[in-house]
Amino acid sequence: MKIYETKDGRSYLLPFILVTSLFFLWGIANNILDVLNKHFQDAFELTRAKSGLVQAAIYGGYFLMAIPAGKIISRWGYRAGVLTGLILFGIGALLFIPGENINSFYYFVACLFIIGCGLTCLETTANPYITVLGDPSRAAQRINLAQSFNGLACIVAPVFGGMLVLANDNLTLPYTIIGITVLLVALLFSRVKLPEIGDEPAGEAAGEEQPRGLWQTPAFVLGVVSLFLYVAAQTGFNSFFINYMNENLGFAPDKAASLLGFGGMGLFFLGRVTGTWIMSYVKPWILLTVYALTATLATLVIVFGTGKPALMAFFVVYFCESIMFPTIFAMALHRVKGYTKQASSYLIMSIVGGAVAPMLMGWIGDNAGMALGFIIPAVCFAVICFYGLFYGKGQKSVAR
């Protein structure tokens, strides 16, 4: 049985391919931010803490738009959620064109907020939709495979942004390309009918007790917390990778952007691809626990180490981060029958963690050195490790 097929043999290959393409698009939007962060620091002479508004704008949109996005999907269906997201995304990107003449940091922040609202609709739609496009027992594998294309975008975006933004000081061209592409994809989705699949949980197992509601389900509640912390850690790493490489290891900003794209994000992509395969043999919660523990230890090397050990530790973290978001998402949706769309809204809302970590890490970096700022992601990874262990204990209890 293929990953996009149900137990009775029904295939969802076409919607799986179309929706998976969205993971690539929002991966581009999210990961070019790491280049913008450094660009705005230099162009507008910002402190690192203030430059964190770049991420805060995007992830603030996630926080404010998640519940409305869930309501759009519940009332008008998955395609409406996709189209709303793509249109907002495209408009926000094209608004960068007049921004070249306005030349205001806060104008660009407003554009990024609009993009963030669009991305919220896309993620609120695509993540749960992917989990129900096939056998529920393979939901974690399915979402990891789809998220692999998000990982591919993680490679492309820093290199794309480094060449156009850092090397050539041009913001208009990359966002014009992104905006036009996104609106063309919206046109495609407007012509395609997506199957509306019932509101069933990802990973529901026969005979398992169903919850009375979302907030009476510990695996969901802790999943929301863990997703908040994961996005905080990932965004913090990406936001200050270039700063760390420049200040602590002596790399030029454009070279550091290429290192982030080909090195860090290359391993991130590899981790998602291999993680999807490993989950055919290893339970998702076990893999999450091992990767989170490894990431915690590697981040401590970044905080307290120097030179090649610190550089290698960055690459270890990017590999280990790879499976965390999709795996936590699928685990948190486990046994929430009848609440999938609502649960997805809360999980996407937790992405606001990405607005918190960069500002906090930037403040620490301004006052105590950039290396010490990475203590924040270390704490986040440690809590995620606990979530994996907690979830595994719950699974064993159900089995008994």
Side-chain angles (χ1 to χ4, degrees):
M1 182 174 62
K2 296 181 174 65
I3 199 171
Y4 49 80
E5 291 181 350
T6 61
K7 290 180 179 179
D8 61 8
R10 185 175 182 181
S11 174
Y12 289 114
L13 177 59
L14 180 58
F16 181 83
I17 291 172
L18 289 173
V19 176
T20 296
S21 71
L22 301 176
F23 287 76
F24 181 81
L25 287 177
W26 79 62
I28 292 287
N30 281 329
N31 288 281
I32 202 172
L33 294 180
D34 312 319
V35 174
L36 287 184
N37 190 291
K38 179 60 178 173
H39 171 78
F40 286 139
Q41 288 176 29
D42 297 337
F44 295 103
E45 299 181 350
L46 305 176
T47 64
R48 281 169 289 199
K50 191 172 182 180
S51 73
L53 285 172
V54 170
Q55 275 76 16
I58 287 282
Y59 295 113
Y62 275 94
F63 181 76
L64 294 174
M65 192 65 185
I67 297 299
K71 292 184 180 299
I72 289 170
I73 299 165
S74 295
R75 182 166 182 177
W76 290 293
Y78 286 108
R79 188 171 70 161
V82 169
L83 289 174
T84 302
L86 288 171
I87 291 169
L88 287 172
F89 184 0
I91 290 172
L94 292 179
L95 283 173
F96 267 71
I97 298 173
E100 185 176 17
N101 295 321
I102 296 172
N103 198 35
S104 165
F105 173 64
Y106 294 105
Y107 175 84
F108 289 121
V109 167
C111 294
L112 291 170
F113 176 77
I114 296 170
I115 291 173
C117 290
L119 300 185
T120 307
C121 291
L122 293 181
E123 292 216 43
T124 306
T125 304
N127 281 296
Y129 194 50
I130 282 290
T131 65
V132 297
L133 287 176
D135 183 358
S137 68
R138 304 188 71 180
Q141 279 184 276
R142 198 157 44 248
I143 195 172
N144 267 282
L145 178 59
Q147 287 277 2
S148 295
F149 289 86
N150 180 273
L152 181 61
C154 294
I155 300 173
V156 174
V159 178
F160 175 65
M163 290 189 299
L164 294 180
V165 178
L166 294 180
N168 296 312
D169 195 26
N170 188 330
L171 278 177
T172 303
L173 180 58
Y175 276 93
T176 301
I177 295 171
I178 291 170
I180 292 173
T181 302
V182 166
L183 292 178
L184 287 174
V185 174
L187 180 62
L188 172 63
F189 269 90
S190 71
R191 304 290 182 179
V192 176
K193 184 178 180 180
L194 295 177
E196 288 295 328
I197 300 171
D199 192 6
E200 292 300 325
E204 181 188 2
E208 292 181 355
E209 182 182 355
Q210 301 302 320
R212 290 170 294 172
L214 290 178
W215 305 109
Q216 286 76 45
T217 311
F220 171 76
V221 175
L222 289 177
V224 171
V225 173
S226 295
L227 209 61
F228 176 94
L229 294 175
Y230 165 71
V231 179
Q234 183 197 39
T235 308
F237 253 86
N238 293 348
S239 299
F240 295 108
F241 179 93
I242 295 174
N243 285 97
Y244 188 99
M245 293 296 153
N246 180 234
E247 297 166 20
N248 294 65
L249 300 180
F251 288 93
D254 58 330
K255 298 297 183 184
S258 295
L259 190 63
L260 174 60
F262 290 114
M265 294 307 179
L267 286 167
F268 185 85
F269 173 65
L270 179 64
R272 280 201 168 154
V273 173
T274 57
T276 303
W277 173 75
I278 292 171
M279 285 181 193
S280 299
Y281 307 96
V282 177
K283 293 184 182 300
W285 69 265
I286 295 176
L287 198 62
L288 178 68
T289 302
V290 172
Y291 278 25
L293 176 60
T294 304
T296 303
L297 298 175
T299 306
L300 292 176
V301 173
I302 292 168
V303 175
F304 300 109
T306 57
K308 287 185 178 180
L311 178 62
M312 292 300 104
F314 266 100
F315 294 145
V316 170
V317 171
Y318 276 108
F319 182 85
C320 291
E321 280 183 342
S322 60
I323 58 105
M324 291 186 189
F325 182 95
T327 305
I328 294 170
F329 197 96
M331 286 165 52
L333 284 180
H334 196 63
R335 297 196 307 275
V336 290
K337 186 174 183 179
Y339 293 94
T340 303
K341 293 174 182 175
Q342 181 184 355
S344 176
S345 295
Y346 290 119
L347 287 167
I348 296 301
M349 184 181 287
S350 72
I351 292 176
V352 74
V356 176
M359 299 184 75
L360 184 56
M361 289 177 65
W363 181 84
I364 295 173
D366 287 333
N367 292 278
M370 199 63 254
L372 189 59
F374 282 86
I375 199 68
I376 302 299
V379 174
C380 295
F381 290 135
V383 176
I384 293 168
C385 180
F386 168 78
Y387 176 58
L389 292 170
F390 172 85
Y391 189 91
K393 183 178 179 180
Q395 290 292 93
K396 291 174 183 177
S397 297
V398 170
R400 286 196 295 268

